[in-house]
């Protein structure tokens, strides 16, 4: 299988805090990789290093054959790697449609406003936010902010999506919708890396899980095996998922 | 598509708010009112634009020439300060560079058009290194760095005596055609600035600048090249300011570093017009510039040369009373009058 994304021995320190202590990650074309672990384990930090804009203290990141370590985020995005933020960051005074158009412009010319609008509409339709296209982004409810976050990332035309706790705070019904959408995206050929706490979703969707704890990789493997791992059960899952 | 929509259902935003018929009438009335207001504004604007060109009063022409100049400056400032939210207090650097480029070109025998073009070029090109340095900083540090940049350029103009004549300044022959010509040129410049602003607003650059104003990191993650976009905006803005500098030079027939690189007389009124009228909007800056010019003129008549004080008071009052600017206030009123039909802004 073709490797699309690789992080090698990634370290990140914020002053005295070592958020990541040498984590490596490989993602193959078309794969769905889940990253799980307790709060503060370094999951969001890992995504930030992979998505550009944040330079690792040590280690390298390769995407589609290019060494993208320390690249600005917009260049990484144009290369085909998009991300969502754990705490959604809508462009508050812009409309929902305009938010997504900003993403669509990543692949369009300076005057291609009509194409951007059409592409944005298509993305909004996809995430079920089309009815709110004209609303002000800052006034969306929490679940819709997550939808918007995903639509804006999708509009940039990515090959790989990094999703940070997309399903956190959603109702079971919304989680089900989101899972359906992600499976569709996968069928379209997108590679997905998700940070999630919603274990039903993680177990059902991921080909492979990576477990982080205190900035280190605790274990890695197919969901069923990770679910039986004694160390993972102890530090994160608890008994509910023991036995797989 | 049907597959996708089935599980999702109607969006909650569609279910909120008043029944559709009230929303429709409210919106229609609002649209009609805003159309009428727009038409009235346009007619008034056209009358005001033509009147000083045909009126025999040189004072009126002078007043309008000044107004168009500052309306254009505010419009230019708005590209960076309004759309992109980068609050510059260094726009005098581009204005002064343009004024000096034009003055030097004209005293060295270049034609009116060539000198003007050089002035625009000087402003646009100077914006690149200034932006490259200042855009590294955010917030108050950015504001201070733009102030410092303008000060550096002023000191250069003051000390490169061999080229600029230093503190003595440059004297030029008066503009042929007098104040009426200055007024016509000012109107043309304002038209150019407004056209630029409208084009930028509707193009990719405008979307990107507004995205950067809201959240730079989120915009970058969505593929917006922050530095490049801001440099484009500042360069366009600087070019327009350079042209304004050339016009100022032609209008006053005399420039020195103290007047064209001035914080109080150039950078602040440029920003103040946009702030007062409503930053980020297309018609805010000229409306605000009108207020700025009138207040400055009134203070000149009443108190002699105390418009610095007036600007300060105006700035404080604006920020306290209408932080969204005059046009922002009108837009909010209109939205409130239109009921809950559309989603309002915070
Ligand atoms: N910008 C930052 N500055 C300082 N410390 C940070 C920053 N970002 C993350 N950290 C710290 O790094 C650790 C890992 O955080 P994070 O990657 O957000 O964890 P997770 O997403 O797994 O909950 C935490 O201890 C957090 O406090
Ligand atoms: Mg996190």
């Amino acid at each position: 299988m073709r490797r699309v994304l690789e992080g090698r021995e990634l370290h990140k320190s914020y002053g005295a805090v070592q958020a990541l202590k040498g984590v490596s990650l490989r993602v193959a074309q078309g794969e769905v990789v889940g990253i799980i672990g307790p709060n503060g384990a370094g999951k969001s930090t890992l995504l930030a290093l992979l998505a550009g804009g944040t330079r690792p203290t040590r280690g390298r990141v390769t995407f589609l054959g290019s060494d993208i370590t320390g690249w600005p985020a917009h260049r990484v995005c144009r290369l085909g790697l998009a991300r969502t933020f754990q705490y959604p960051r809508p462009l508050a005074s812009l409309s929902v449609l305009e938010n997504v158009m900003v993403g669509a412009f990543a692949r369009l010319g300076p005057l291609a406003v009509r194409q951007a609008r059409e592409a944005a509409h298509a993305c909004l339709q996809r995430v079920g936010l089309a009815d709110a296209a004209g609303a002000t982004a800052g006034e969306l409810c929490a679940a819709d902010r997550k939808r918007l976050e995903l639509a804006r990332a999708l509009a940039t035309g990515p090959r790989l999506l990094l999703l940070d706790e997309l399903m956190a705070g959603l109702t079971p019904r919304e989680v089900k919708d989101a899972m359906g959408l992600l499976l569709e995206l996968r069928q379209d050929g997108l590679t997905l890396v998700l940070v999630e706490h919603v274990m039903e979703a993680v177990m059902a969707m991921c080909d492979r899980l990576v477990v982080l704890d205190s900035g280190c990789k605790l274990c890695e493997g197919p969901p069923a095996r990770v679910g039986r791992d004694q160390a993972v059960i102890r530090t994160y899952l608890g008994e509910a998922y023991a036995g797989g | 598509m049907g597959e996708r929509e089935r599980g999702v259902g109607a969006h909650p935003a569609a279910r909120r708010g008043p029944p559709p018929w009230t929303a429709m009438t409210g919106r229609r009335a609002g649209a009609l009112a805003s159309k009428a207001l727009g038409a009235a504004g346009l007619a008034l604007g056209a009358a005001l634009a033509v009147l000083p060109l045909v009126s025999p009063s040189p004072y009126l022409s002078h007043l309008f020439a000044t107004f168009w100049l500052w309306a254009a400056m505010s419009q230019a400032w708005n590209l960076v300060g309004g759309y992109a939210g980068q609050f510059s207090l260094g726009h005098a650097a581009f204005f002064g560079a343009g004024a000096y480029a034009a003055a030097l070109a004209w005293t060295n025998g270049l034609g009116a058009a060539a000198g003007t073009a050089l002035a625009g070029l000087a402003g646009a090109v100077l914006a690149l290194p200034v932006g490259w340095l200042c855009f590294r900083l955010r917030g108050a540090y950015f504001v201070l760095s733009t102030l410092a940049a303008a000060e550096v350029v002023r000191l250069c103009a003051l000390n490169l005596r061999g080229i600029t004549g230093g503190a003595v300044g440059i004297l030029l022959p008066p503009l042929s055609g007098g104040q009426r010509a200055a007024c016509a040129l000012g109107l043309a410049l304002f038209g150019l600035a407004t056209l630029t602003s409208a084009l930028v607003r509707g193009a990719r650059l405008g979307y990107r600048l507004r995205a950067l104003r809201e959240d730079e990191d989120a915009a970058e993650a969505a593929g917006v090249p922050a530095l490049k976009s801001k440099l484009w905006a500042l360069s366009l803005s600087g070019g327009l300011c350079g042209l304004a500098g050339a016009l100022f030079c032609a209008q006053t027939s005399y420039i020195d570093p103290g007047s064209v690189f001035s914080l109080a007389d150039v950078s602040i009124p440029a920003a103040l017009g946009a702030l007062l009228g409503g930053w980020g909007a297309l018609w805010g800056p000229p409306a605000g510039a009108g207020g700025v010019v009138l207040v400055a003129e009134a203070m000149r008549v009443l108190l002699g040369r105390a418009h610095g004080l007036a600007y300060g008071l105006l700035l404080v009052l604006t920020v306290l009373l209408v932080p969204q600017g005059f046009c922002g206030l009108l837009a909010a009123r209109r939205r409130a009058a239109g009921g809950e039909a559309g989603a309002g802004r915070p």
Side-chain angles (χ1 to χ4, degrees), chain A residues 72-75 77-78 81-83 85 89-95 98 101-111 113 117 122 125-132 134-136 139-141 144 147 152 156 173 177 181 184 188, chain B residues 1 3-16 83 138 199-228 279 324 335 342-346:
Chain A
H74 69 89
R75 271 186 80 194
C77 174
R78 277 191 50 84
L81 196 161
R83 71 167 306 182
F85 290 94
R89 299 175 76 158
L91 307 168
S93 83
L94 274 63
S95 77
E98 287 170 335
M101 284 173 74
V102 169
F105 274 125
R107 301 211 177 276
L108 292 170
L111 299 176
V113 178
R117 193 168 290 131
Q125 206 102 53
R126 248 195 138 159
V127 303
L129 205 50
D131 292 341
T136 305
E139 292 180 348
L140 292 182
C141 66
D144 287 345
R147 286 189 167 112
R152 196 172 60 205
T156 66
R173 166 72 181 267
D177 289 344
L181 178 59
E184 249 179 59
D188 293 352
Chain B
M1 278 298 159
E3 246 328 49
R4 280 174 204 134
E5 280 161 0
R6 185 150 39 84
V8 173
H11 186 268
R15 291 193 293 267
R16 268 183 236 127
Y83 293 169
R138 294 190 189 184
L199 286 178
V200 165
R201 193 180 173 75
R204 184 180 69 185
L205 182 59
Y207 286 83
R208 287 183 162 174
L209 294 176
R210 289 189 295 142
L212 289 169
R213 178 180 74 201
E214 293 301 321
D215 184 335
E216 185 157 337
D217 294 329
E220 274 259 339
V224 176
L227 181 63
K228 199 174 119 189
W279 49 268
Q324 291 277 50
R335 270 195 301 271
R345 287 179 183 208

Side-chain angles (χ1 to χ4, degrees), chain A:
Chain A
M1 273 220 279
R2 213 166 81 81
R3 185 187 309 149
V4 283
L5 178 67
E6 178 175 17
R8 257 172 299 149
E9 284 296 307
L10 293 171
H11 290 256
K12 181 69 190 179
S13 308
Y14 292 105
V17 181
Q18 275 193 295
L20 278 185
K21 305 167 191 163
V23 172
S24 296
L25 176 80
R26 287 177 172 189
V27 182
Q29 170 70 44
E31 216 181 358
V32 178
V33 176
I35 301 174
I36 60 173
N39 279 327
K43 306 180 296 294
S44 297
T45 304
L46 179 58
L47 288 202
L49 297 186
L50 296 174
T54 311
R55 183 177 267 285
T57 315
R58 252 184 307 152
R60 313 228 51 100
V61 182
T62 323
F63 178 61
L64 297 177
S66 312
D67 186 329
I68 60 165
T69 318
W71 277 24
H74 69 89
R75 271 186 80 194
V76 177
C77 174
R78 277 191 50 84
L79 196 59
L81 196 161
R83 71 167 306 182
T84 66
F85 290 94
Q86 177 177 350
Y87 304 103
R89 299 175 76 158
L91 307 168
S93 83
L94 274 63
S95 77
V96 168
L97 184 70
E98 287 170 335
N99 263 264
V100 184
M101 284 173 74
V102 169
F105 274 125
R107 301 211 177 276
L108 292 170
L111 299 176
V113 178
R114 197 168 48 81
Q115 287 99 309
R117 193 168 290 131
E118 282 162 11
H121 261 304
C123 290
L124 284 176
Q125 206 102 53
R126 248 195 138 159
V127 303
L129 205 50
D131 292 341
T136 305
E139 292 180 348
L140 292 182
C141 66
D144 287 345
R145 284 175 185 230
K146 298 241 167 182
R147 286 189 167 112
L148 177 58
E149 195 75 13
L150 179 59
R152 196 172 60 205
L154 273 180
T156 66
R159 300 270 303 271
L160 187 151
L161 263 179
L162 303 175
L163 304 172
D164 201 346
E165 304 201 13
L166 189 70
M167 302 184 195
L170 299 189
T171 64
R173 166 72 181 267
E174 287 164 342
V175 167
K176 212 167 129 268
D177 289 344
M179 280 173 68
L181 178 59
L182 293 189
L183 289 176
E184 249 179 59
L185 294 177
R186 160 184 220 175
Q187 251 141 41
D188 293 352
L190 241 80
T191 308
L192 302 174
V193 175
L194 4 143
V195 170
E196 268 317 331
H197 286 301
V198 182
M199 288 313 294
E200 292 84 354
V202 170
M203 290 294 184
M205 287 198 319
C206 296
D207 301 310
R208 198 152 52 85
L209 289 187
V210 174
V211 188
L212 292 187
D213 183 35
S214 316
C216 296
K217 190 154 78 180
L218 197 62
C219 86
E220 176 174 5
R225 206 177 73 216
V226 168
R228 280 194 302 271
D229 188 291
Q230 284 308 313
V232 176
I233 291 168
R234 239 189 348 268
T235 58
Y236 180 55
L237 292 179
E239 293 304 319
Y241 286 90

Side-chain angles (χ1 to χ4, degrees), chain B residues 25 33 106 193 233 266 344-345:
Chain B
T25 49
W106 291 334
V266 181
R345 287 179 183 208

